Amino acid sequence: MHIFLVRHGRDSRVPGSRSLSPEGLRQACSVGARLSGQGVTELWTSSLERARATAQAISWAVGLDPVVDRRLDEIRAGAAGIPDLPPPRERRRGPAPDGVESWGEFLERVGCFLSSLCGVPDPRRRIVLVTHSGVFDAVFEILCGTGARVELAVENCAVTRWEYRPGSPAGAWLLHGHNDTAHLTNTSGRSERPRETVSCQ
């Protein structure tokens, strides 16, 4: 079973809306084209707007409808302006404020989703998960069992690929690649300039 983690495209970061920017839509179309040759069998997405829009662009390329699952959402930070709120990876002990998710609760949520996938470890499954940078960190900590504070560099629409191979003497999980952005560069090796109007259809 192969799992392709995809971070959402660049978003507008307008207060009250996190829709994809024109560059973000271009990135989403590019990663969709990249994944179209991977034999994708399942497409899952976070419920957040920027992830769902990215998944929709990928769906046009791979011919699958995205399935929304809130367990792929970014760690919940609660309302803005909470004083003295520690960074997400430091929220490990003590009760969290209302609406705020501790790192332990976040790991449990993401781990529950991974466990549900592993219940059917068919090697023919090739699963795309459109999600957020915090989920990449959580997956790494869960699969590697470090228990340490680790933050991974993850670009918008980068791809990280894990393979689940239960019973392998070398370990059940194999990391094939992390933060792959080759599909986001042109032939000169430089990032393409964002287009003002982009359509994947």
Side-chain angles (χ1 to χ4, degrees), residues 12-13 22 73 81 87 105 120 151 161 169:
S12 58
R13 293 188 174 273
D73 289 2
E105 291 169 333
V120 186
E151 183 175 9
R161 181 160 69 100

Side-chain angles (χ1 to χ4, degrees), residues 160-177:
T160 291
R161 181 160 69 100
W162 290 92
E163 180 182 357
Y164 180 53
R165 44 182 197 173
S168 171
W173 289 96
L174 174 64
L175 179 62
H176 284 270

Side-chain angles (χ1 to χ4, degrees), residues 76-79 82 95-101:
R76 301 184 182 102
I82 298 177
D98 290 342
V100 174
E101 192 172 31

